[in-house]
Coordinates of all heavy atoms in Angstrom, one line a residue:
G22 N 26.9 0.6 20.1 CA 25.6 0.2 20.7 C 25.2 -1.1 20.1 O 25.9 -1.7 19.2
R23 N 24.1 -1.6 20.6 CA 23.6 -2.9 20.1 C 23.3 -2.9 18.6 O 23.7 -3.8 17.9 CB 22.3 -3.3 20.8 CG 22.5 -3.7 22.2 CD 22.2 -5.1 22.4 NE 22.4 -5.5 23.8 CZ 23.2 -6.5 24.2 NH1 23.8 -7.2 23.3 NH2 23.4 -6.7 25.4
L24 N 22.7 -1.8 18.1 CA 22.4 -1.7 16.7 C 23.6 -1.6 15.9 O 23.8 -2.2 14.8 CB 21.4 -0.6 16.4 CG 20.7 -0.5 15.1 CD1 19.9 -1.8 14.9 CD2 19.8 0.7 15.0
G25 N 24.6 -0.8 16.4 CA 25.9 -0.7 15.7 C 26.7 -2.0 15.6 O 27.3 -2.3 14.6
A26 N 26.6 -2.7 16.7 CA 27.3 -4.0 16.8 C 26.6 -5.0 15.8 O 27.3 -5.8 15.1 CB 27.2 -4.6 18.2
L27 N 25.3 -4.9 15.6 CA 24.6 -5.7 14.7 C 25.1 -5.4 13.2 O 25.5 -6.3 12.5 CB 23.1 -5.6 14.8 CG 22.3 -6.3 13.8 CD1 22.4 -7.8 14.0 CD2 20.9 -5.9 13.8
Y28 N 25.1 -4.1 12.9 CA 25.4 -3.7 11.5 C 26.9 -3.8 11.2 O 27.3 -4.1 10.1 CB 24.9 -2.3 11.2 CG 23.4 -2.2 11.0 CD1 22.6 -1.6 11.9 CD2 22.9 -2.9 9.9 CE1 21.3 -1.5 11.7 CE2 21.5 -2.9 9.7 CZ 20.7 -2.2 10.6 OH 19.4 -2.1 10.4
R29 N 27.8 -3.5 12.2 CA 29.2 -3.4 11.9 C 30.0 -4.8 12.2 O 31.0 -4.9 11.7 CB 29.8 -2.4 12.8 CG 29.4 -1.0 12.4 CD 30.1 0.1 13.1 NE 29.6 1.4 12.7 CZ 29.3 2.3 13.6 NH1 29.5 2.1 14.9 NH2 28.8 3.5 13.2
V30 N 29.4 -5.6 13.0 CA 30.1 -6.8 13.4 C 29.4 -8.1 13.0 O 29.9 -9.0 12.3 CB 30.4 -6.9 14.9 CG1 31.1 -8.1 15.3 CG2 31.3 -5.6 15.3
V31 N 28.1 -8.2 13.5 CA 27.4 -9.5 13.3 C 27.0 -9.7 11.9 O 27.2 -10.8 11.3 CB 26.2 -9.5 14.3 CG1 25.4 -10.8 14.1 CG2 26.6 -9.4 15.7
L32 N 26.4 -8.7 11.2 CA 25.9 -8.9 9.8 C 27.1 -9.2 8.9 O 27.0 -10.1 8.0 CB 25.1 -7.8 9.4 CG 23.7 -7.7 10.0 CD1 22.9 -6.5 9.5 CD2 22.9 -9.0 9.8
P33 N 28.2 -8.5 9.0 CA 29.4 -8.8 8.1 C 29.9 -10.3 8.4 O 30.3 -11.0 7.4 CB 30.4 -7.8 8.4 CG 29.7 -6.6 8.9 CD 28.5 -7.2 9.6
A34 N 29.8 -10.7 9.6 CA 30.3 -12.1 9.9 C 29.2 -13.1 9.4 O 29.6 -14.2 9.1 CB 30.4 -12.2 11.4
A35 N 28.0 -12.7 9.3 CA 26.9 -13.6 8.8 C 26.7 -13.4 7.3 O 25.8 -14.1 6.8 CB 25.6 -13.3 9.5
K36 N 27.5 -12.7 6.6 CA 27.3 -12.5 5.2 C 27.3 -13.8 4.4 O 26.4 -13.9 3.5 CB 28.4 -11.5 4.6 CG 28.3 -11.1 3.2 CD 29.3 -10.2 2.8 CE 29.2 -9.8 1.3 NZ 30.3 -8.9 0.9
P37 N 28.2 -14.7 4.6 CA 28.1 -16.0 3.8 C 26.7 -16.7 4.1 O 26.1 -17.2 3.1 CB 29.2 -16.8 4.3 CG 30.2 -15.8 4.8 CD 29.4 -14.7 5.4
G38 N 26.3 -16.7 5.3 CA 25.0 -17.4 5.6 C 23.8 -16.7 5.0 O 22.9 -17.3 4.5
L39 N 23.9 -15.3 5.0 CA 22.8 -14.5 4.4 C 22.7 -14.7 2.9 O 21.7 -14.8 2.3 CB 23.0 -13.1 4.8 CG 22.7 -12.7 6.3 CD1 23.2 -11.3 6.6 CD2 21.3 -12.9 6.7
V40 N 23.9 -14.7 2.3 CA 24.0 -14.9 0.9 C 23.5 -16.3 0.5 O 22.7 -16.5 -0.5 CB 25.4 -14.7 0.3 CG1 25.6 -15.2 -1.1 CG2 25.8 -13.3 0.4
T41 N 23.9 -17.3 1.3 CA 23.4 -18.7 1.0 C 21.9 -18.8 1.1 O 21.3 -19.4 0.2 CB 24.1 -19.7 1.9 OG1 25.5 -19.6 1.8 CG2 23.7 -21.1 1.7
V42 N 21.4 -18.3 2.2 CA 19.9 -18.4 2.4 C 19.2 -17.6 1.3 O 18.1 -18.0 0.8 CB 19.5 -18.0 3.8 CG1 18.0 -17.9 4.0 CG2 20.1 -19.1 4.8
S43 N 19.7 -16.4 1.0 CA 19.0 -15.6 0.0 C 19.1 -16.3 -1.4 O 18.0 -16.3 -2.1 CB 19.8 -14.3 -0.2 OG 19.7 -13.6 1.0
L44 N 20.2 -16.9 -1.7 CA 20.3 -17.6 -3.0 C 19.3 -18.8 -3.0 O 18.6 -19.1 -4.0 CB 21.7 -18.1 -3.3 CG 22.0 -18.7 -4.6 CD1 21.6 -17.7 -5.8 CD2 23.5 -19.0 -4.8
L45 N 19.3 -19.6 -1.9 CA 18.4 -20.7 -1.9 C 16.9 -20.3 -1.9 O 16.1 -20.9 -2.6 CB 18.6 -21.5 -0.6 CG 19.9 -22.3 -0.6 CD1 20.1 -23.0 0.8 CD2 20.0 -23.4 -1.7
A46 N 16.6 -19.2 -1.3 CA 15.2 -18.6 -1.3 C 14.9 -18.2 -2.7 O 13.7 -18.4 -3.2 CB 15.1 -17.5 -0.3
F47 N 15.8 -17.5 -3.4 CA 15.6 -17.1 -4.8 C 15.3 -18.2 -5.7 O 14.4 -18.2 -6.5 CB 16.7 -16.2 -5.3 CG 16.6 -15.8 -6.7 CD1 15.7 -14.7 -7.0 CD2 17.3 -16.4 -7.7 CE1 15.6 -14.4 -8.3 CE2 17.1 -16.0 -9.0 CZ 16.3 -15.0 -9.3
I48 N 16.1 -19.3 -5.6 CA 16.0 -20.4 -6.4 C 14.6 -21.1 -6.1 O 13.9 -21.5 -7.0 CB 17.1 -21.4 -6.2 CG1 18.4 -20.8 -6.8 CG2 16.9 -22.8 -6.9 CD1 19.7 -21.6 -6.5
G49 N 14.3 -21.2 -4.9 CA 13.0 -21.8 -4.5 C 11.8 -21.0 -5.1 O 10.9 -21.6 -5.6
A50 N 11.9 -19.7 -5.0 CA 10.8 -18.9 -5.5 C 10.8 -18.9 -7.0 O 9.7 -18.9 -7.6 CB 10.9 -17.4 -5.0
W51 N 11.9 -18.9 -7.6 CA 12.0 -18.9 -9.1 C 11.5 -20.2 -9.7 O 10.8 -20.1 -10.7 CB 13.5 -18.7 -9.5 CG 13.7 -18.6 -11.0 CD1 14.1 -19.5 -11.8 CD2 13.5 -17.4 -11.7 NE1 14.2 -19.0 -13.1 CE2 13.9 -17.7 -13.1 CE3 13.1 -16.1 -11.5 CZ2 13.8 -16.8 -14.1 CZ3 13.1 -15.2 -12.5 CH2 13.4 -15.5 -13.8
N52 N 11.7 -21.3 -9.0 CA 11.3 -22.6 -9.5 C 9.9 -23.0 -9.1 O 9.5 -24.1 -9.4 CB 12.3 -23.6 -9.2 CG 13.6 -23.5 -9.9 OD1 13.6 -23.0 -11.0 ND2 14.7 -23.9 -9.3
E53 N 9.2 -22.1 -8.3 CA 7.9 -22.5 -7.9 C 6.9 -22.4 -9.0 O 6.5 -21.3 -9.5 CB 7.4 -21.5 -6.7 CG 6.1 -21.8 -6.2 CD 5.9 -23.1 -5.6 OE1 6.7 -23.5 -4.8 OE2 5.0 -23.9 -6.1
V54 N 6.5 -23.5 -9.5 CA 5.6 -23.5 -10.7 C 4.2 -23.7 -10.3 O 3.3 -23.0 -10.8 CB 6.1 -24.7 -11.7 CG1 5.1 -24.8 -12.8 CG2 7.5 -24.4 -12.2
L55 N 3.9 -24.6 -9.5 CA 2.5 -24.9 -9.2 C 1.7 -23.8 -8.5 O 0.6 -23.4 -9.0 CB 2.4 -26.2 -8.2 CG 1.0 -26.6 -7.9 CD1 0.3 -27.1 -9.1 CD2 1.1 -27.8 -6.9
L56 N 2.3 -23.1 -7.6 CA 1.7 -22.0 -6.9 C 1.5 -20.8 -7.9 O 0.5 -20.2 -8.0 CB 2.5 -21.5 -5.7 CG 1.9 -20.5 -4.8 CD1 0.7 -21.1 -4.1 CD2 2.9 -20.1 -3.8
A57 N 2.5 -20.6 -8.7 CA 2.5 -19.5 -9.7 C 1.4 -19.8 -10.8 O 0.7 -18.9 -11.2 CB 3.8 -19.2 -10.3
L58 N 1.3 -21.1 -11.1 CA 0.3 -21.5 -12.1 C -1.1 -21.3 -11.6 O -2.0 -20.8 -12.4 CB 0.5 -22.9 -12.5 CG -0.3 -23.5 -13.7 CD1 -0.1 -22.7 -14.9 CD2 0.0 -25.0 -13.9
V59 N -1.3 -21.6 -10.4 CA -2.6 -21.4 -9.8 C -3.0 -20.0 -9.5 O -4.1 -19.6 -9.8 CB -2.7 -22.2 -8.4 CG1 -4.0 -21.9 -7.7 CG2 -2.6 -23.7 -8.7
L60 N -2.1 -19.2 -9.1 CA -2.4 -17.8 -8.7 C -2.3 -16.8 -9.8 O -2.8 -15.7 -9.7 CB -1.4 -17.3 -7.6 CG -1.6 -18.1 -6.3 CD1 -0.5 -17.5 -5.3 CD2 -3.0 -17.9 -5.7
T61 N -1.7 -17.1 -11.0 CA -1.7 -16.2 -12.1 C -2.8 -16.5 -13.0 O -3.1 -17.6 -13.4 CB -0.4 -16.2 -12.8 OG1 -0.1 -17.5 -13.2 CG2 0.8 -15.7 -11.9
S62 N -3.5 -15.4 -13.5 CA -4.7 -15.7 -14.3 C -4.4 -15.2 -15.8 O -4.9 -15.8 -16.7 CB -5.9 -15.0 -13.8 OG -5.6 -13.6 -13.6
S63 N -3.7 -14.1 -15.9 CA -3.5 -13.6 -17.3 C -2.1 -14.0 -17.8 O -1.2 -14.3 -17.1 CB -3.6 -12.1 -17.3 OG -2.6 -11.5 -16.6

């Protein structure tokens, strides 16, 4: 089915792209200093 094709075929084929975007998003969030400085109080 469509959902099975997504999980069994498309997502494994997209694994490198998902890993790359996840890693870039993690680095971006980890290095976000200004927003974290403003929003954290304690």
Side-chain angles (χ1 to χ4, degrees):
R23 291 243 178 238
L24 197 57
L27 175 70
Y28 284 116
R29 293 186 184 133
V30 177
V31 176
L32 288 180
K36 186 177 177 182
L39 292 169
V40 167
T41 301
V42 169
S43 299
L44 188 58
L45 291 174
F47 176 76
I48 291 171
W51 185 260
N52 289 329
E53 180 59 55
V54 174
L55 183 61
L56 189 64
L58 185 61
V59 170
L60 293 179
T61 55
S62 56
S63 68

